[in-house]
Amino acid sequence: MFPSWLEYSPTNDAAYCLLCYLSTEKPNGNPTADVFTRKGFKAWRKINSGKCCVFLKHIGESPCSSHNNAVKASQDLFNQSMNIRFALNEQSSEQILHNRLRLRCSIDSVCCLTFQACAFRGHDEKPSSKNRGNFLEMVKLLASYNDELAKVVLENAPYNGKYTSHAVQKELLQIMSCKVKHYIREEIGDSKFCIIVDKSCDESLREQMAIILRFVDKHGCIQERFFELVHVDDTMAITLKKEVCDVLSMHGLNVSDIRRQGYDGASNTRGEWNGLQALFLKDCPYDYYIHCFAHRLQLALVAASREVFAIHDFFSHLTFIVNVACSSTKRNDELQKAISAEIINLLEIGEIESGKGQNQKSNHKRTGDTRWSSNFGSICSMINLHNPTCVVLQEIRKTGSSYTTRGDANVAYKLLKSFEFTLILHIMKEIMGITDRLCQALQQKSKDILNAMQLVSYTKTLIQKLRDDEREGRARHQMDHITVGQHFRVNLFCVTIDQQLQELNHRFCPETMELLILSNSLVPKDVYKAFDIDNICALVHKFYPLDFGEQDKKSLRYHLHYFHLDVVSHPGLNKLSTMSELCEALKTTGKADTHYLVDRLIRLILTLLVSTATTERSFSTMKLIKTRLRNKMEDEFLADGMMLYIEKEIVDQFSTDSIIDEFKSKKDRTVKF
């Protein structure tokens, strides 16, 4: 039987070694190689000569003979799995897996650090450093728990594909921030929305403007989303309006779709004639300005009272006394010892009772310009800690280390023991106690309109009652014009009350009050007890004429009759208490399509009242992210970090692969993913 490598040519009447013919260019010293490759083999009688068989001589004894090398070459040629094309593809696929794994680690590190408001960079990020910064240390920690990851990150990664540079960190952060904004934009859809704008300085004293959007999503749920943080060169109303409009237009949101605007109460934003409120009303006449009720009530009652010089001096003295008594850890320890001694003394004489959770140690609370209850809290803490504070101040004025310390303690002690300071302290506790209780109630009920106007009216009633009681008391006690009582009654108490009543009437304007009172007719509490068809129709005709066509306005009354009959008897709609619950229930039960006019009106009304929780959270987040050690942070980096920190629940919905694909398409990258 002839070997498989032997091929016969009928034309030449000769046999050839196909493998050697294809791969051998020279005989390489084998005498039979030329016969089987060029001349052709014809001596058939020599094939049965035993060890001298010409076939055996051609094959050769050495494994490295020309024929054996040709056989190996042919095997490699026909082995497709070893083809260079497949080898390159296999290597490329493996490299892609390594790149994606490496980038996935960087994405997870960015998310983790951002969610915790931690810094990324380190002071020394060299491999020899003991602390390379939070980001690199996080990557190192993740690699220590995964051998596969450890082989492809940090020093084991290629020079041009580590994905740990500061530029890559910011790029990943920006990609996720843009995805969050896109998600919010899709949530809004074609719905009407409201804007809430507030301003504050960051750690580097740069003026930042936070923009929050409030809307009702496609599921009928109220959403209040942080949308953007913008650095503004000045706080003029025209500048703020331009920045807000630029942000909205960048994401395809129309100013004409705004149905409510809320600001921080400053004059350059809430100004009736030249403020930001007025500028937006020129573009959209039905963009009503309604600030947070709790915030507005606090501004009215606290800020108005400080218009009185004596009250302003009182708060300045209060701050001074707290600073002197608690300006160091040593003084704070002395205050705590005095408080303990006071508690022990009161327990011994039976003034207070012991029990679990009672008689806890406390400290002075400082007043703040933006914290609503801080003034009331500071006053209460001063009343509760009056005696221990006097003990500490007496000790400081005796044993103070310098004349300045002793002098300040002496002034603070005299102020604290003065009759006027003590009287104003209790007067302001009485007045601001009303403010604090109502502000808390308004914050808890700010998701709906029910009781909001009643609470404001009740505040006016209480303030007016204080004024009337004072007048009756003065009538009973006819005093001379120049007395101490006359001074405190007329020049202090009456002026403070009158200033607050004036401010309440100014901030809660008649148009806003009417809008909210009419809106209250759709509240479903007590089986739609407040439901009033005439008020609802008046609300649509007067305040929302552009959102309803002429035919809708004509048929609205009939729709409302049918709506009331339907919801009162519906088991899923007759036990609700707020309009937000009603809006969501209409969508859940499928009644939103049936009562589409009512659903549209409810969605508009739900943008009217708003808490400032998101605004407060945004600026609290800014203080967490842009700290003293990170005061050179860029505006874009700060805004992106705040977006991820505040809207964590949205970021959690994004897959890592989608972020990688976005990272891949963002630039023409040489590395494959």
Side-chain angles (χ1 to χ4, degrees):
M1 187 174 182
F2 295 105
S4 59
W5 47 263
L6 192 66
E7 293 288 337
Y8 175 73
S9 174
T11 304
N12 297 333
D13 189 24
Y16 298 88
C17 177
L18 177 63
L19 302 181
C20 292
Y21 180 83
L22 295 175
S23 61
T24 304
E25 296 181 357
K26 295 181 179 180
N28 294 329
N30 190 339
T32 63
D34 190 51
V35 174
F36 282 93
T37 56
R38 296 184 181 182
K39 298 179 181 179
F41 175 73
K42 298 180 180 180
W44 300 102
R45 64 179 183 276
K46 296 182 179 182
I47 60 175
N48 293 323
S49 55
K51 294 182 180 180
C52 297
C53 177
V54 68
F55 290 164
L56 296 178
K57 290 182 179 180
H58 174 71
I59 294 173
E61 297 178 359
S62 173
C64 296
S65 64
S66 300
H67 178 79
N68 287 330
N69 289 336
V71 172
K72 293 179 181 179
S74 64
Q75 291 175 350
D76 292 340
L77 177 64
F78 292 110
N79 187 1
Q80 293 295 318
S81 62
M82 298 299 293
N83 190 287
I84 188 172
R85 175 166 54 87
F86 290 98
L88 288 175
N89 289 337
E90 182 178 352
Q91 184 179 5
S92 178
S93 300
E94 183 180 3
Q95 188 63 40
I96 289 175
L97 292 176
H98 290 170
N99 292 336
R100 295 184 76 90
L101 179 61
R102 195 178 303 117
L103 189 56
R104 188 185 298 271
C105 177
S106 296
I107 293 172
D108 292 341
S109 299
V110 167
C111 288
C112 181
L113 294 176
T114 306
F115 290 168
Q116 300 302 320
C118 296
F120 286 10
R121 299 180 59 177
H123 179 69
D124 183 7
E125 295 187 345
K126 296 178 181 178
S128 58
S129 175
K130 294 182 179 179
N131 186 353
R132 303 177 65 181
N134 291 334
F135 181 84
L136 294 180
E137 291 294 336
M138 176 68 71
V139 174
K140 183 178 179 181
L141 178 64
L142 294 175
S144 66
Y145 288 94
N146 191 319
D147 295 336
E148 184 179 355
L149 177 62
K151 295 177 182 178
V152 298
V153 297
L154 298 177
E155 283 68 43
N156 295 327
Y159 179 78
N160 65 336
K162 293 181 181 293
Y163 310 124
T164 57
S165 67
H166 304 147
V168 170
Q169 296 170 24
K170 294 178 181 178
E171 187 175 350
L172 292 174
L173 192 65
Q174 185 184 37
I175 288 172
M176 287 183 278
S177 176
C178 291
K179 290 177 70 68
V180 173
K181 293 175 186 176
H182 181 70
Y183 181 92
I184 296 174
R185 179 63 185 88
E186 289 185 341
E187 273 190 323
I188 298 175
D190 298 330
S191 302
K192 309 300 180 182
F193 59 93
C194 89
I195 59 170
I196 308 161
V197 180
D198 206 349
K199 309 180 301 302
S200 180
C201 289
D202 59 23
E203 181 65 28
S204 59
L205 300 181
R206 306 183 72 178
E207 191 76 30
Q208 304 286 358
M209 178 178 65
I211 301 175
I212 293 94
L213 302 182
R214 178 183 170 93
F215 56 91
V216 180
D217 63 15
K218 60 183 179 181
H219 302 294
C221 300
I222 301 175
Q223 301 292 348
E224 195 170 299
R225 301 294 193 188
F226 172 80
F227 198 66
E228 188 62 271
L229 185 76
V230 182
H231 169 62
V232 290
D233 296 329
D234 59 73
T235 57
M236 299 296 292
I238 188 66
T239 303
L240 300 180
K241 180 179 183 295
K242 179 181 181 302
E243 294 292 345
V244 173
C245 291
D246 289 345
V247 171
L248 296 179
S249 62
M250 186 184 304
H251 296 87
L253 295 171
N254 297 322
V255 176
S256 59
D257 289 333
I258 301 176
R259 287 298 177 267
R260 178 191 171 277
Q261 47 182 323
Y263 309 118
D264 61 353
S267 58
N268 57 343
T269 54
R270 71 176 179 90
E272 184 177 357
W273 306 110
N274 299 318
L276 186 58
Q277 174 193 175
L279 295 178
F280 273 113
L281 284 174
K282 292 179 180 178
D283 297 334
C284 185
Y286 302 105
D287 178 12
Y288 304 107
Y289 170 74
I290 303 177
H291 192 48
C292 173
F293 271 80
H295 195 184
R296 196 190 308 185
L297 185 60
Q298 184 72 12
L299 289 171
L301 299 182
V302 176
S305 62
R306 297 196 68 166
E307 290 290 336
V308 182
F309 291 146
I311 303 299
H312 178 78
D313 293 341
F314 162 77
F315 279 107
S316 299
H317 295 157
L318 178 63
T319 303
F320 175 73
I321 295 172
V322 172
N323 290 337
V324 172
C326 306
S327 60
S328 66
T329 54
K330 181 181 178 181
R331 296 180 187 180
N332 185 67
D333 292 339
E334 293 176 354
L335 178 62
Q336 296 302 319
K337 292 178 182 179
I339 294 173
S340 299
E342 178 76 8
I343 292 174
I344 293 173
N345 181 46
L346 293 175
L347 287 172
E348 290 177 351
I349 63 178
E351 291 290 333
I352 59 176
E353 297 180 357
S354 61
K356 185 177 180 180
Q358 296 182 0
N359 308 321
Q360 298 292 319
K361 290 184 178 180
S362 59
N363 207 338
H364 282 293
K365 296 181 180 180
R366 301 179 185 273
T367 60
D369 294 334
T370 58
R371 291 179 298 167
W372 301 340
S373 61
S374 62
N375 294 278
F376 180 66
S378 181
I379 290 172
C380 291
S381 65
M382 180 57 70
I383 293 176
N384 296 332
L385 304 179
H386 184 273
N387 291 336
T389 305
C390 290
V391 173
V392 172
L393 292 176
Q394 282 182 310
E395 183 66 23
I396 294 174
R397 71 177 185 172
K398 291 179 181 179
T399 62
S401 58
S402 64
Y403 68 89
T404 304
T405 303
R406 294 191 296 270
D408 289 344
N410 183 59
V411 173
Y413 180 78
K414 290 182 177 180
L415 287 173
L416 186 57
K417 298 293 288 185
S418 66
F419 175 77
E420 182 171 352
F421 181 87
T422 305
L423 178 64
I424 297 176
L425 186 67
H426 287 274
I427 289 176
M428 294 310 299
K429 180 186 177 183
E430 182 70 20
I431 296 175
M432 297 183 68
I434 300 172
T435 308
D436 185 72
R437 292 192 297 271
L438 293 177
C439 282
Q440 292 180 6
L442 283 170
Q443 284 180 271
Q444 295 172 359
K445 300 178 180 181
S446 60
K447 293 182 178 180
D448 217 321
I449 297 175
L450 185 63
N451 293 331
M453 306 310 302
Q454 297 170 348
L455 287 171
V456 174
S457 300
Y458 183 58
T459 305
K460 292 183 179 181
T461 303
L462 289 178
I463 300 296
Q464 186 64 51
K465 186 176 184 300
L466 290 175
R467 186 70 170 91
D468 296 339
D469 291 344
E470 187 279 329
R471 288 175 179 172
E472 292 178 5
R474 186 168 38 161
R476 288 194 302 266
H477 304 283
Q478 296 292 335
M479 297 182 299
D480 297 332
H481 291 289
I482 306 175
T483 62
V484 176
Q486 178 78 2
H487 166 70
F488 288 114
R489 282 181 178 274
V490 179
N491 299 338
L492 178 62
F493 186 77
C494 294
V495 174
T496 302
I497 297 298
D498 291 340
Q499 188 71 31
Q500 289 183 339
L501 287 173
Q502 180 181 352
E503 191 69 15
L504 281 171
N505 293 327
H506 172 68
R507 288 185 180 270
F508 296 92
C509 62
E511 183 185 29
T512 300
M513 300 287 282
E514 182 183 5
L515 171 60
L516 296 175
I517 289 173
L518 293 178
S519 301
N520 193 50
S521 302
L522 273 169
V523 175
K525 190 174 182 179
D526 298 330
V527 196
Y528 301 86
K529 182 179 179 180
F531 189 82
D532 191 313
I533 294 179
D534 293 332
N535 285 346
I536 298 173
C537 292
L539 175 68
V540 171
H541 284 80
K542 184 173 182 178
F543 293 98
Y544 297 109
L546 296 182
D547 296 300
F548 294 86
E550 292 300 325
Q551 186 61 37
D552 292 337
K553 295 175 185 177
K554 294 178 181 179
S555 58
L556 178 61
R557 185 174 295 273
Y558 303 102
H559 277 265
L560 291 172
H561 277 291
Y562 175 58
F563 168 79
H564 188 245
L565 293 174
D566 191 8
V567 296
V568 169
S569 60
H570 196 285
L573 298 173
N574 58 6
K575 297 180 181 180
L576 306 176
S577 58
T578 64
M579 272 198 289
S580 57
E581 294 176 357
L582 175 59
C583 185
E584 189 174 353
L586 287 175
K587 193 67 178 180
T588 304
T589 58
K591 293 292 185 178
D593 296 330
T594 305
H595 308 293
Y596 61 94
L597 292 180
V598 180
D599 179 70
R600 188 191 308 171
L601 181 59
I602 292 175
R603 288 172 177 266
L604 292 170
I605 294 174
L606 285 176
T607 62
L608 294 179
L609 286 181
V610 59
S611 66
T612 56
T614 307
T615 308
E616 290 181 354
R617 189 180 178 191
S618 64
F619 289 119
S620 299
T621 302
M622 184 171 68
K623 293 180 180 179
L624 288 174
I625 295 177
K626 194 166 186 177
T627 60
R628 180 179 60 84
L629 296 177
R630 305 175 73 189
N631 61 355
K632 294 184 179 180
M633 180 183 296
E634 299 173 358
D635 296 330
E636 294 79 7
F637 193 20
L638 173 63
D640 294 339
M642 288 180 59
M643 175 63 76
L644 266 64
Y645 184 89
I646 296 173
E647 304 296 347
K648 295 178 184 178
E649 69 279 3
I650 298 180
V651 182
D652 290 337
Q653 301 181 33
F654 301 146
S655 66
T656 308
D657 290 333
S658 66
I659 299 174
I660 294 176
D661 294 339
E662 189 78 18
F663 180 80
K664 174 184 175 182
S665 62
K666 198 172 181 64
K667 293 181 180 179
D668 295 332
R669 303 187 184 275
T670 57
V671 181
K672 294 183 178 181
F673 292 93

